[in-house]
Amino acid sequence: MKIVRLTTLLDFGGQERQYISFAETDSQLLQNEYIFAAIGHGGDAEQRIREKGFEVVVFNQNPKISNLKNVWVLYKWFKKIKPDVVHTAAAEANFHGIIAAKLAGVKMIIGEEIGFPNHSFKAQLIFKIIYKFTYKVICVSKAVRDFLVATNEITPEKGVVLYNPVSSVMPIPKKLPKEFTIITVGRFEKVKNQALLIKAFSQIENTSCQLILVGDGSQKKYLEQLITILKLQDRVVLTGFVSNPEKYLAASHLFVLPSLSEGFGIAVVEAMQQELPCLCSNIGGIPEYITHNETGWLFDPMQEAELIEQLNALIATPYVALQKIAKQAQMTVENRFTVRKYVENLENLYQKKYD
């Protein structure tokens, strides 16, 4: 079968990491022909997927839902290439791609929700109609599926939980610095809540600790100003976007994710894979694989005092005890989030419509 995997952008982010993991799998596992596409611009993910031999199409259109030209552009493309399956992911791609695929007569349409959509009541009604055109809607966690069912956008039967895969990589040898180092990885956007981590970090008892923020985004200048105001320039580093955050993970003692909303949290799973202890928000899909005091630690991202308390406790904990938790977390990743399992589950889903 010819399968189109359409998303909004192919630059960097959680959805792009999922595509990269898929593209890096053993080609012998794949039973179908895959074409990756983005309505908007490409970037790092586009390049890395191409390098693995996959066809990639980047339309460079304004991806906003209000730009209905995207439906026409995608419709013409679908009619030309005649895919058997169109699998869309992310709000803009779901909206334009599902409508275009339906108009083009694509036999099987699958949507995918990668997080918790902040839809108005009107938008909920619109997506409820759009999702009726799909065979299934993949949800990256049970929490996302439950949310879509609660907002009446999908029925329980329509939603399928399929956790994101993580590429199997060789752990990078740890090169821990002398000072306790905390790291977070993610886009610099309000929902990622890095400001909370910086504020909490400024109040911890150990004033020699270091903090690394890997990423880029619209909040970069604000975070830089906050670091200056709190006089943390010598202790906090903003790396900018990097395609291989593993090298920073290998030089850190603790991973922290302070997000206000997280459908799955692939950055957390990648940190767990590198045997790095993780302290994360108790929201979204994260509690589905992090059990407090067993495979990591959880906190309320609305409670700065709670984060400060947990940071102080973990920094004071013997590193061997932290590593015991990290090892259990790594085993969880190896057992649950392999690319092989993801590919098998996804291709079985595609095949069911044709059986």
Side-chain angles (χ1 to χ4, degrees):
M1 292 187 291
K2 180 186 292 185
I3 298 167
V4 169
R5 300 203 61 183
L6 173 72
T7 191
T8 305
L9 305 173
L10 278 174
D11 195 358
F12 64 92
Q15 180 60 30
E16 286 89 340
R17 297 291 290 185
Q18 183 211 99
Y19 280 9
I20 291 170
S21 293
F22 185 92
E24 290 177 346
T25 190
D26 184 347
S27 60
Q28 293 182 350
L29 290 177
L30 303 178
Q31 305 299 314
N32 301 288
E33 174 189 354
Y34 288 90
I35 302 173
F36 292 85
I39 297 174
H41 64 263
D44 180 68
E46 172 196 7
Q47 179 180 347
R48 293 176 66 175
I49 295 169
R50 286 188 194 278
E51 289 174 353
K52 293 299 179 180
F54 290 91
E55 180 180 350
V56 181
V57 178
V58 176
F59 291 99
N60 286 311
Q61 298 292 314
N62 178 351
K64 288 186 177 180
I65 288 178
S66 58
N67 183 20
L68 296 180
K69 176 186 175 183
N70 293 327
V71 174
W72 175 244
V73 170
L74 292 171
Y75 165 78
K76 291 193 297 182
W77 185 54
F78 292 153
K79 292 293 286 185
K80 177 182 178 181
I81 68 171
K82 297 179 174 57
D84 299 291
V85 178
V86 168
H87 175 176
T88 65
E92 297 85 357
N94 285 337
F95 181 84
H96 298 296
I98 291 172
I99 294 174
K102 181 65 176 179
L103 293 174
V106 176
K107 184 176 179 181
M108 185 178 191
I109 306 171
I110 292 177
E112 181 171 344
E113 276 290 357
I114 62 176
F116 299 92
N118 186 23
H119 289 161
S120 64
F121 180 70
K122 179 180 178 181
Q124 290 173 8
L125 292 177
I126 291 173
F127 273 90
K128 179 180 180 180
I129 294 170
I130 289 175
Y131 284 145
K132 287 184 181 296
F133 301 146
T134 66
Y135 169 58
K136 294 290 182 181
V137 174
I138 292 174
C139 304
V140 294
S141 65
K142 294 176 183 177
V144 169
R145 183 186 62 186
D146 292 346
F147 179 85
L148 294 178
V149 171
T151 58
N152 206 29
E153 294 183 40
I154 65 171
T155 62
E157 297 76 20
K158 177 77 72 170
V160 175
V161 176
L162 190 57
Y163 292 114
N164 284 332
V166 180
S167 298
S168 178
V169 297
M170 290 294 293
I172 296 177
K174 291 185 180 294
K175 296 182 179 180
L176 295 177
K178 178 182 178 181
E179 305 299 345
F180 194 97
T181 300
I182 300 167
I183 187 171
T184 188
V185 179
R187 293 175 290 109
F188 293 167
E189 306 294 341
K190 287 184 178 180
V191 71
K192 297 299 184 181
N193 206 24
Q194 288 99 344
L196 173 75
L197 177 57
I198 293 172
K199 292 175 184 177
F201 179 79
S202 72
Q203 301 174 67
I204 59 176
E205 296 168 358
N206 188 330
T207 57
S208 64
C209 286
Q210 304 293 307
L211 174 62
I212 301 173
L213 290 89
V214 178
D216 203 347
S218 65
Q219 292 284 295
K220 182 179 180 179
K221 287 186 178 180
Y222 168 69
L223 297 179
E224 289 175 336
Q225 291 171 354
L226 181 61
I227 291 167
T228 300
I229 291 171
L230 296 174
K231 298 180 180 180
L232 295 171
Q233 299 96 315
D234 294 336
R235 297 174 56 205
V236 180
V237 175
L238 275 63
T239 68
F241 168 72
V242 294
S243 60
N244 57 335
E246 294 83 6
K247 66 180 182 180
Y248 291 102
L249 296 175
S252 302
H253 296 80
L254 177 69
F255 180 93
V256 179
L257 190 82
S259 297
L260 296 170
S261 178
E262 203 72 57
F264 178 69
I266 196 165
V268 182
V269 177
E270 290 178 338
M272 293 167 69
Q273 184 184 44
Q274 292 293 330
E275 205 174 330
L276 184 60
C278 295
L279 170 63
C280 303
S281 300
N282 61 350
I283 46 86
I286 293 174
E288 294 175 30
Y289 54 84
I290 285 191
T291 301
H292 191 67
N293 282 332
E294 293 184 14
T295 54
W297 301 271
L298 299 170
F299 70 96
D300 184 344
M302 302 299 292
Q303 298 296 325
E304 183 176 328
E306 182 182 343
L307 176 56
I308 295 170
E309 180 182 359
Q310 292 216 42
L311 285 173
N312 282 330
L314 293 174
I315 293 169
T317 300
Y319 191 63
V320 64
L322 298 182
Q323 280 301 101
K324 181 178 179 181
I325 297 291
K327 186 62 179 178
Q328 293 174 184
Q330 185 187 52
M331 292 173 62
T332 295
V333 172
E334 292 176 351
N335 292 331
R336 296 184 62 186
F337 305 122
T338 67
V339 175
R340 176 179 289 273
K341 285 185 178 180
Y342 177 81
V343 169
E344 290 175 352
N345 291 333
L346 188 60
E347 293 206 324
N348 285 339
L349 182 63
Y350 294 151
Q351 192 60 48
K352 282 182 180 179
K353 183 74 173 180
Y354 287 86
D355 287 344

